[in-house]
Amino acid sequence: MGYHRQFRHTPDHHRQRHPRKPPLPMTQKIKTTIKPPPGTKKLPKIPAKKLISAIALVTASLTFGFLEYQKSDNLSFLRIGGSMACTFLSMLIVGLFFQFKKNFQFEFCQTPSGLQFQNRVEVFSLSATVSLVGTLLILNPENINAISFLWIITMGFVNIVLSLFITVSAIAGAYFYTLISDCGIRIHALFRSDKIILWDACPEPYIIHPQVVVLLVDDKEVYVSTAAEGTDPRIMVALINYYRTHPEHRHELTTGETITRLTTGRLPIDWTITPQPQNQPGS
């Protein structure tokens, strides 16, 4: 009993044996949909005829490979048709992402430093994978039995360039993010130093085609978003405009109050904004 009472009366000794871990920083991924006024138009999409053309090219490539295989019983034609289909399909995947990107949606990660917007790279990774498959199919040495060596090299080169472009875009997109804090806007990109725009020097944002949010800084367009995020660019424009002109409320960016302001309609959003051509900021 004596030992038990002694241990109970020495809390310092107890804390030393069982130290408490510090709390984790506040990081929370949030996705919500903002209800716009009735009759609000959706953002322009990729023309349906372009998507239909891409689907037709994929189908035609596969059909060509299958029919030629039936005639010659040569698997090379299936590989060639599959390679051509993969080339068109990799581009179609990216087009479908923008076609079905949700309007009026707000997606971000709330961190202790502010609101962080990250690209969705899954679609571009899938596109790069499909393109790589097409490259492997066309570069199969056995294809020389079906088509000329020069044609194989030409198609292989096109597939390799496309695969590298999409792969680099996916990697760069994975590292690209925008952080909006109480101090300003920080833009992080691969192979470049962070671009920091303080609120006092922040111009009015605008949208260029297809759905890219841009700031004109020192006569140069600075991309705040790449259109690969899950956020409607009109909401991001409203967000920047509000905290650019309301310094007394910028602390909300680090406390999580921004989402409350958005969902309760206390952050004005201009739903009539449409994408502008490059180097022509919206009024």
Side-chain angles (χ1 to χ4, degrees), residues 180-196:
I180 302 180
S181 69
D182 55 348
C183 297
I185 302 172
R186 176 189 294 270
I187 303 165
H188 178 81
L190 187 64
F191 304 130
R192 288 186 294 174
S193 57
D194 289 5
K195 179 72 175 180
I196 300 175

Side-chain angles (χ1 to χ4, degrees), residues 4-283:
H4 182 65
R5 285 194 299 270
Q6 182 181 6
F7 184 77
R8 290 180 60 188
H9 289 288
T10 54
D12 292 338
H13 172 70
H14 179 73
R15 282 197 295 267
Q16 290 175 4
R17 289 182 59 188
H18 304 280
R20 291 185 178 182
K21 295 181 180 180
L24 295 174
M26 180 185 64
T27 301
Q28 183 181 9
K29 189 173 182 179
I30 299 174
K31 181 192 297 185
T32 187
T33 300
I34 308 300
K35 187 176 181 180
T40 299
K41 293 183 179 180
K42 296 182 178 180
L43 287 169
K45 301 290 186 180
I46 295 176
K49 61 181 180 180
K50 291 187 177 181
L51 296 178
I52 294 173
S53 298
I55 294 173
L57 289 170
V58 173
T59 305
S61 299
L62 293 174
T63 303
F64 161 78
F66 179 74
L67 292 178
E68 291 299 319
Y69 167 71
Q70 282 191 323
K71 291 179 183 179
S72 62
D73 198 27
N74 189 339
L75 286 174
S76 296
F77 286 108
L78 285 179
R79 287 191 290 266
I80 294 167
S83 175
M84 294 169 60
C86 285
T87 300
F88 297 123
L89 181 59
S90 63
M91 295 183 283
L92 177 62
I93 289 172
V94 177
L96 289 174
F97 168 79
F98 291 107
Q99 184 70 17
F100 293 103
K101 181 180 177 181
K102 292 183 179 180
N103 288 264
F104 321 127
Q105 185 170 278
F106 187 57
E107 182 178 323
F108 68 98
C109 187
Q110 177 70 66
T111 72
S113 302
L115 308 185
Q116 182 171 315
F117 299 86
Q118 195 87 27
N119 283 335
R120 288 181 173 179
V121 297
E122 298 86 355
V123 173
F124 297 94
S125 299
L126 176 60
S127 178
T129 302
V130 171
S131 182
L132 178 60
V133 170
T135 302
L136 296 176
L137 287 173
I138 194 61
L139 292 180
N140 190 304
E142 296 181 6
N143 292 340
I144 200 170
N145 298 325
I147 58 176
S148 68
F149 179 74
L150 180 60
W151 184 243
I152 292 176
I153 294 300
T154 302
M155 292 182 64
F157 176 76
V158 171
N159 277 273
I160 290 172
V161 171
L162 181 62
S163 298
L164 287 175
F165 174 77
I166 298 175
T167 301
V168 171
S169 298
I171 295 173
Y175 281 89
F176 183 96
Y177 69 81
T178 299
L179 179 69
I180 302 180
S181 69
D182 55 348
C183 297
I185 302 172
R186 176 189 294 270
I187 303 165
H188 178 81
L190 187 64
F191 304 130
R192 288 186 294 174
S193 57
D194 289 5
K195 179 72 175 180
I196 300 175
I197 304 170
L198 300 178
W199 285 121
D200 291 341
C202 182
E204 184 176 355
Y206 58 97
I207 306 174
I208 61 174
H209 187 80
Q211 298 182 19
V212 181
V213 178
V214 175
L215 295 173
L216 194 63
V217 180
D218 298 328
D219 294 326
K220 294 181 180 179
E221 288 185 333
V222 177
Y223 289 7
V224 179
S225 75
T226 62
E229 302 87 357
T231 295
D232 189 313
R234 293 170 293 189
I235 299 178
M236 186 174 286
V237 166
L239 190 75
I240 295 173
N241 265 332
Y242 184 82
Y243 290 108
R244 180 176 69 89
T245 56
H246 292 78
E248 70 278 9
H249 294 152
R250 290 172 187 165
H251 66 277
E252 298 174 351
L253 293 163
T254 59
T255 61
E257 296 174 72
T258 298
I259 187 65
T260 303
R261 180 175 291 280
L262 267 171
T263 54
T264 55
R266 293 185 292 116
L267 196 152
I269 302 173
D270 183 2
W271 295 108
T272 63
I273 299 176
T274 56
Q276 304 293 326
Q278 275 193 314
N279 300 316
Q280 293 186 23
S283 58

